[in-house]
Structure formats: structure tokens, C-alpha cells
Amino acid sequence: MECFAYPLDTKMLLRKKKSIKKELLNNEKQWICKKIAVLGGSTTNEVVDQLEIALLNHGIKAEFYQSEYGLYWEDAMFGNEQLDAFGPDIIYIHTNWRNITAFPEIHDTEDEVMQKLQEQYERFGSMWKKLEEKFRCPIIQNNFDRPNYRLLGNRDIWDYRGRSNFISRLNQKFYQYAQKNKSFYINDIDYLAQDYGLSEWGAVIYWNMYKYACCLNAIPYLAGSVANIIKSIFGKNKKLLALDLDNTLWGGVIGDDGPEGIKVGPDMIEGQPYYEFQQYSKNLQKIGVVLAVASKNDQENALEGLRHPDGVLKEEDFVSIKANWEPKNQNLKEIAEELSVGTDSFVFVDDNPVEQDIVRTQLPEAAVPKVESVENFIEVLDHSGYFEVTSLSTEDLGKTAQYQARAKAQSLQASFENYEDYLLSLEMKAEITGFEPMYVQRITQLTNKSNQFNLTTLRCSEDEITKMQESPNYICLCGRLIDKFSDNGIVTVVAGEIQGDELNIKLWLMSCRVLKRELEEVMMNELMKKAAEQKLSYVNGVYIPTAKNHMVEKFYGDMGFELCSSDENGETHWKMKVDEYQHKKSAVSV
Amino acid sequence: MDEKMKQLTEIFQDVFDNEGITLTADTKIKEIKGWDSFIHISLMAAVQDEFGVAYNIEEIMKLKTVGELIASIEGKQ
């Protein structure tokens, strides 16, 4: 919805939140449903209202618990029946500098201030531990904004007696905790306040009259920031950045001006912003965003532009380059098909408002930031939070190489007599393990991202994955696939719950980048082996249809399972007697 | 006055999410169906935005009717 695009239409979001909510609820059909506990050190009503619609806009339908005004700490430390019964999937602790209970006094010694700092930190640290033990779910914690006054003026930030200094040190302690604890995320209100303008953010009337931590008009930004963290945790980040070329990656039109005439590079004034935008895009790629080109150009001209010696982005940085005269929405669709990803994971940047509009109307699921000209590309893209980083897995860091290896493997495929020969030529090897701690992050990511080869579409948090692994009643398997081109990393996840002498498969998914590699056969062999070891009689599978997982409708049937039941929604239940299972052949060795 | 009444009606309809709301100078803000203190905050913020005026705490506490609200806006503009 337009009002959520940066810069936010705060007027609309605040005034029409009720009708926005209704409209969003009418729109999308497949919601991710989550329970969110908001523990506030200030009034949270507007925060929750805005968070609710921001999450709906990301496809997440949330149910909320709100602590009574200011009782965040009591709720966490001493428990609260309502909160316990609620059982949150995410906890958001909305505190700000006004919730710090002791500040340095001007006569304090350095040691006394240190003592206060430690006490303030412990107040939060012990609360996080308590919540972690009890709920084992992700925690989002605000850092502290700065007060809108400085008693010591410029000295306030560096003198140990200054509040600004105290807050900055307390924040550092929070960050150290975040470094060490997965499932703990900082919502950076210190940045939000600065970005918004500290004086306006901290306008005292909102605290004095309503006990809001910041001014009302800033709340949609605050909520948007929290929503970005949450949607990222649940796998709703964008994945691909599709870029136009002329007047987007360089100044000028390559078809008219030629490679010497286009403007890019650090040495010329008009070329600088394009150069910086290329650098920014390149850095996005380094954190796992996949890049593509969608441009109205002749292919040869496009490549010529990318060979410009002062450019940062080169041909090999893109997984796909569509430079032709077809409509861009058409090209984006083709890119999506090539890479087996949905256009809902696309962000499209084009300087031309007409092209923006075409893609916005033809592919409403893709994000098209409202950019004007190169000077504000980075600002808009960065504030939009499309690629909010909540985890940096090793798979993310090597993603472009993997996509390219896949494209290469696809071209190799053409030269083989039959598919079986081709598969054998890949020299594939699988490593199958349980949900080892080092894989938990990746496994979680897969459960939240995989849509097509996913039998149950069960979305899980890291804590849920860890719980399965630790439970004696679960059989958990994940598989890494290595072929002669690349190590694809962990690409498939299977988990089943033992009930009596039967195993019920709760989770079975595979990344689309390794479809049709016969990896699922190997996983099934392994699962059946484990089931036999545990002396189980039956393994039961279920297929729960969604808009995207049609490809696995017949999965259990193909694996030799017997159909037990099916309902009007297309949900089917299957079973297999463990001692009748026939070992499956596969081109993948174990 | 009429112009402001029109703008205010629109704000009230948005915030209360009720297109049936009609206002007169005598309308007591707190007596509109669905009113609560959170709605009041949204209303006041919207009024300040829309008309480019700012209120201090005392002024906000004093405002009871739509007529008073309009008078206060006119006094500030």
C-alpha cells in the first residue's frame, strides 16, 4: 500500500488506520499469524495500532498482548498469568531514556557512575534472561534515544557525569549482549530519533500528557522499524534488487551517448552519485541481495555500459541481465522464473516514474520505491528496510556465486544425452545431520522462505527449531548438497514427531535451487532408516496445499505412500509401513 | 467557520472511522460515540497538523466542544 512507502504518509497512517486495517485484511489471503507481546515503559496503544497495520502490509497478521502502562519490567520479572497464557512468538520491549531509573549526579565519582551503569544494565539483562528462559522466543529491545536537553552542553556527551555519555555507554552494553545472543534484536530508536529530528521526536507534550515516548507523528516510523525486524525474522524480506541502467546506474543514455558519454565514476561531479549508488548496490549484494538488470536497451549496449572502467558493478555481479524492448514487468517475470523465486521478493529501482508505475500496477506484489533521481536512491532504498538484516548466514554471503553456478549447471544440462547422465556428472554428495546448533539459523531461514517444495509450510523461529532438536520425540534431519560446481549449503529440512509407534512428518521442505536432483529420495531413505532404528511401525505424511506448493501435491504418492484421506481443501494424508519401504535409488551419494 | 467545520468533520470521521458523524458548535467531543482518550490524542494531533497550530497542555485540557475548538484554531491562526 502506498502510504507505507518511504517517506511514510504519516497523516494517512495515523488518521485512517482503521480503514487501512480493513482494506489490508480484505486483500491478501495467506497470512502468517503471530502473537506479539509489547512490553512498554510508556503508552503503547498507538505503537501497537501502527505495528499492526505495518505487519499486515508485510503479510503478517498479529495478535497483541500489551502490558499495563509502564509495567514492562514487572511483567517480565514476576510473570503475569495473561502473558503466560498468551504465549508470545515475539516480545517487543518498548522502552526509552525516560525508563532509566538512575542517572549520574554531578557529585558522583567515576566509580559511582560505573556502579549506576552496571545496575541499570542488570535491570534489563536480568529481564531478558527471564523472558528467554520462560518464552524462548525472539526478543526485540529498543536502545535508548538521547534526551532532548544536555545539562552539560557539549560536555554532556564525553564527561562521565553527563546523561548523554551515560546513555551512550548503556547502549554499548546492550549491543554487546546482542552480539552474544541470537534471537535478540535491537530496535535502533537512537537512529530513528536523530533521523526524525531529536527536538521534534522528544516534544515533551507527548510525554507529559499521554506518556508517549516520542511524538505521535514519529510513531509510524517507530512501528515500521519494528515491523521490518519482525518480517525479516519470519522470512518476508525482499531478496532481489532489479535495476534499470540509463539514468539509474549511470547518467545519460548509453544507446545515444555511447560508453564514453555516460556519466559514472568518482572523478566527475555528475558521475559521483551514480558511482555511490553502484557501490551501495554492490554492498547489498555482499550481504546476500541478488542483483539483476531490467532495462530498455540493446543487450550489447547494456554490457558495454557495465564494462565502463569507472563503474563498480560488472556483468558478473548480476544473476540475470534483461536488456531488451519488452515491457519491464514481463522481464521481471522472466527473471523470477529463471531463478525460481516469486516476484513478491523483488525490489525494482528505475528513475522513470512511468516505468515505476507500470511495474507497480502490473506486479503489485513487487516493491517499487518512489525514487526521483539518483541523489535520493540510497536514501529511499535504505529507509525502506526491504533487506533488513536480522541474520547473516554464510549462505547469504555466497548467494550470487550459488545462483551463478546454478545457471551454469543449467546450461551444461543441455549437452547431455539424458537427465540421469547429467545428474551423475554433477558428482553430488549429501551430508545429512540433525539440527546441529550451527545450522539452526539456516534451517529457520529455510522454514520461513521456502514456498514451493514445502509440504506443510510450517514457519518456525530459531527457538522452535532448537526445541525440536532437543526433544526425544522428534526425528530431525537436514541435508547439505555438494556438487562439482559448488557447495549449496543446507538445502533441505525434515522433522517428524513420534506418537506411539508412528512418526508424523511435520516439516518437509527443500530449497528450490536443488529441485530435481534426487535429494529428496536420499532424505526419505535416511528418515525411514531412523524410523526403523526407533522400531516405529508407520510414517505418516500430510500435504497442506497453498497457492505456491502445487509441485509437491503428489510427493508422498511418488514416494510410495498410501493415501488415507483427503478433504475439500485438497489437504491429503498419507502413510507408509516402515518395514515395507523400498529403498530409493538416487544420483546423490551419502 | 463553515470551512473549518467541514475540515474538522472530515478529521473526526477519519479518526472515529465513522462517516456518519456530523458536528455542530455545541457537539461535546467526549460524548461522540466511540470516544476514548487515545482517540482524543489522535484528534488533537490531527487538528494541530491540519491547521498548523500548536496547543499547550492547559489548552488541550480546557477544550470541550467543537465550537471551542474552532474558536481556539481561529485565535491561533
Side-chain angles (χ1 to χ4, degrees):
Chain A
M1 211 184 251
E2 286 257 348
C3 53
F4 292 101
Y6 178 84
L8 299 182
D9 186 346
T10 50
K11 185 171 156 183
M12 170 107 171
L13 288 167
L14 287 166
R15 243 182 246 187
K16 294 189 183 277
K17 61 187 176 192
K18 289 184 179 160
S19 58
I20 291 172
K21 178 176 160 182
K22 276 187 218 154
E23 200 182 325
L24 286 168
L25 281 169
N26 280 337
N27 269 341
E28 219 172 324
K29 294 287 173 281
Q30 270 187 10
W31 300 99
I32 296 181
C33 295
K34 294 290 164 190
K35 291 182 182 173
I36 301 173
V38 178
L39 309 186
S42 51
T43 312
T44 51
N45 298 60
E46 190 67 44
V47 178
V48 166
D49 287 349
Q50 292 299 323
L51 184 56
E52 181 177 26
I53 54 177
L55 285 171
L56 285 173
N57 192 48
H58 290 303
I60 298 171
K61 195 191 270 181
E63 202 187 311
F64 289 94
Y65 166 88
Q66 288 185 70
S67 59
E68 289 297 322
Y69 165 71
L71 292 185
Y72 70 102
W73 198 77
E74 287 77 359
D75 269 3
M77 294 305 288
F78 310 121
N80 168 318
E81 274 176 31
Q82 249 182 304
L83 176 59
D84 293 352
F86 181 70
D89 297 309
I90 293 247
I91 296 171
Y92 169 45
I93 304 169
H94 176 51
T95 44
N96 85 325
W97 73 270
R98 291 185 186 269
N99 300 118
I100 295 174
T101 53
F103 280 104
E105 297 291 337
I106 207 68
H107 295 298
D108 282 350
T109 64
E110 216 166 337
D111 279 349
E112 281 165 342
V113 173
M114 188 71 96
Q115 180 72 27
K116 283 183 177 170
L117 188 67
Q118 195 55 33
E119 277 167 20
Q120 289 302 313
Y121 173 69
E122 283 303 328
R123 212 176 123 75
F124 282 89
S126 56
M127 172 175 77
W128 301 330
K129 281 207 192 80
K130 201 91 179 188
L131 290 170
E132 153 85 53
E133 276 162 23
K134 193 179 233 172
F135 299 109
R136 301 192 68 178
C137 70
I139 296 173
I140 300 173
Q141 167 70 56
N142 284 353
N143 59 1
F144 295 107
D145 45 355
R146 288 176 63 170
N148 44 359
Y149 57 84
R150 301 174 303 167
L151 186 69
L152 304 181
N154 289 292
R155 194 183 178 102
D156 211 58
I157 190 64
W158 64 264
D159 191 297
Y160 67 88
R161 288 159 292 198
R163 284 193 176 195
S164 306
N165 181 265
F166 188 77
I167 286 171
S168 143
R169 285 161 79 193
L170 192 49
N171 275 340
Q172 286 302 325
K173 284 181 172 284
F174 278 29
Y175 307 153
Q176 280 159 17
Y177 185 90
Q179 285 282 352
K180 289 198 202 99
N181 290 274
K182 277 197 288 176
S183 301
F184 181 85
Y185 306 91
I186 293 286
N187 180 45
D188 187 2
I189 67 167
D190 187 29
Y191 167 83
L192 292 176
Q194 290 181 42
D195 193 42
Y196 196 84
L198 188 58
S199 297
E200 223 181 306
W201 166 277
V204 289
I205 190 167
Y206 290 95
W207 175 258
N208 288 334
M209 277 208 79
Y210 318 118
K211 294 289 177 284
Y212 272 117
C214 62
C215 72
L216 203 67
N217 282 336
I219 290 180
Y221 282 99
L222 171 80
S225 170
V226 179
N228 280 339
I229 298 176
I230 295 175
K231 65 106 170 125
S232 171
I233 292 175
F234 293 113
K236 297 291 267 183
N237 262 354
K238 301 290 176 193
K239 297 175 188 138
L240 183 139
L241 177 61
L243 297 159
D244 169 46
L245 294 177
D246 293 331
N247 292 318
T248 297
L249 283 190
W250 54 69
V253 176
I254 183 113
D256 298 338
D257 305 334
E260 314 78 30
I262 60 170
K263 297 182 181 67
V264 63
D267 300 329
M268 55 170 116
I269 292 174
E270 308 102 300
Q272 274 176 25
Y274 294 101
Y275 177 74
E276 282 178 19
F277 182 56
Q278 287 206 15
Q279 278 182 321
Y280 184 82
S281 304
K282 176 73 189 173
N283 286 332
L284 281 176
Q285 188 211 44
K286 287 183 187 163
I287 58 169
V289 176
V290 175
L291 304 181
V293 166
S295 161
K296 286 193 172 157
N297 256 312
D298 288 329
Q299 180 87 4
E300 198 36 51
N301 284 340
L303 294 178
E304 191 110 55
L306 292 171
R307 287 185 205 121
H308 195 287
D310 294 331
V312 179
L313 293 171
K314 302 293 171 197
E315 188 182 344
E316 58 271 22
D317 288 320
F318 299 94
V319 292
S320 181
I321 296 178
K322 299 275 173 223
N324 54 45
W325 304 93
E326 298 299 318
K328 296 201 176 179
N329 52 303
Q330 199 55 44
N331 280 321
L332 292 175
K333 261 198 171 145
E334 279 175 29
I335 295 171
E337 277 159 24
E338 272 171 33
L339 304 173
S340 346
V341 292
T343 40
D344 58 350
S345 64
F346 281 24
V347 177
F348 173 60
V349 173
D350 194 314
D351 65 294
N352 184 337
V354 178
E355 298 289 359
Q356 287 179 24
D357 203 51
I358 290 171
V359 175
R360 221 173 264 137
T361 25
Q362 297 299 315
L363 302 174
E365 68 282 10
V368 185
K370 287 185 277 186
V371 294
E372 281 151 21
S373 72
V374 67
E375 291 83 0
N376 79 347
F377 286 179
I378 295 178
E379 181 202 337
V380 174
L381 211 51
D382 202 79
H383 278 83
S384 301
Y386 298 124
F387 310 109
E388 177 80 34
V389 180
T390 48
S391 68
L392 273 176
S393 66
T394 37
E395 272 81 5
D396 284 335
L397 301 179
K399 195 160 279 164
T400 295
Q402 284 165 5
Y403 275 96
Q404 278 162 348
R406 186 161 80 189
K408 199 165 151 197
Q410 257 153 15
S411 67
L412 184 71
Q413 195 177 332
S415 61
F416 280 92
E417 285 284 302
N418 64 48
Y419 191 66
E420 215 34 52
D421 284 350
Y422 159 70
L423 281 184
L424 288 171
S425 80
L426 288 174
E427 298 162 18
M428 292 180 292
K429 198 176 159 341
E431 285 174 17
I432 304 174
T433 62
F435 294 171
E436 305 300 332
M438 61 181 294
Y439 298 148
V440 167
Q441 197 179 31
R442 170 63 179 163
I443 291 168
T444 308
Q445 198 182 43
L446 278 172
T447 67
N448 286 297
K449 275 186 177 176
S450 306
N451 295 314
Q452 301 185 72
F453 197 110
N454 195 338
L455 274 301
T456 57
T457 318
L458 179 69
R459 310 296 191 193
C460 302
S461 68
E462 289 190 15
D463 297 303
E464 285 161 345
I465 292 295
T466 309
K467 276 183 212 164
M468 286 184 199
Q469 172 66 18
E470 286 170 358
S471 164
N473 295 326
Y474 268 86
I475 296 180
C476 302
L477 297 174
C478 65
R480 169 189 292 274
L481 184 69
I482 302 158
D483 61 39
K484 72 173 177 186
F485 293 112
S486 70
D487 178 350
N488 292 281
I490 301 292
V491 284
T492 179
V493 175
V494 177
E497 188 179 10
I498 300 169
Q499 274 164 339
D501 66 341
E502 303 191 1
L503 181 71
N504 297 316
I505 301 173
K506 300 281 178 181
L507 197 57
W508 191 306
L509 63 87
M510 195 167 76
S511 160
C512 281
R513 64 169 104 133
V514 294
L515 285 180
K516 296 195 186 159
R517 297 286 196 89
E518 299 184 349
L519 180 60
E520 54 272 38
E521 279 81 359
V522 175
M523 292 300 285
M524 187 60 88
N525 289 342
E526 187 65 22
L527 185 73
M528 287 297 172
K529 199 173 108 195
K530 290 263 189 254
E533 280 168 12
Q534 302 231 24
K535 308 221 171 1
L536 302 176
S537 311
Y538 284 96
V539 171
N540 305 319
V542 55
Y543 163 72
I544 303 170
T546 68
K548 290 180 176 167
N549 72 350
H550 190 69
M551 65 158 67
V552 288
E553 189 183 24
K554 298 194 165 62
F555 173 73
Y556 285 116
D558 294 341
M559 285 286 166
F561 279 56
E562 187 190 323
L563 180 66
C564 305
S565 66
S566 59
D567 69 13
E568 69 276 13
N569 300 324
E571 183 172 317
T572 51
H573 291 258
W574 307 76
K575 72 173 176 188
M576 164 71 76
K577 207 161 180 229
V578 175
D579 56 17
E580 284 175 8
Y581 176 71
Q582 308 257 334
H583 190 84
K584 299 278 176 302
K585 260 180 55 185
S586 167
V588 182
S589 64
V590 186
Chain B
M1 173 96 181
D2 281 353
E3 183 56 28
K4 290 211 168 56
M5 188 65 91
K6 223 178 104 198
Q7 281 170 280
L8 277 180
T9 306
E10 218 172 284
I11 290 175
F12 276 59
Q13 288 176 346
D14 279 350
V15 174
F16 282 89
D17 191 33
N18 176 358
E19 283 178 18
I21 288 181
T22 51
L23 301 177
T24 68
D26 294 331
T27 306
K28 292 204 171 66
I29 298 173
K30 285 191 185 183
E31 285 170 12
I32 298 173
K33 195 167 156 251
W35 183 93
D36 62 29
S37 59
F38 296 109
I39 283 206
H40 199 75
I41 301 172
S42 302
L43 275 179
M44 291 312 294
V47 167
Q48 299 190 45
D49 253 16
E50 184 78 21
F51 299 99
V53 295
Y55 291 98
N56 63 31
I57 295 175
E58 216 182 313
E59 289 166 333
I60 294 182
M61 309 276 282
K62 260 197 255 161
L63 290 172
K64 302 278 184 271
T65 65
V66 170
E68 287 165 16
L69 183 57
I70 291 176
S72 75
I73 294 166
E74 282 170 346
K76 281 173 182 289
Q77 276 178 334

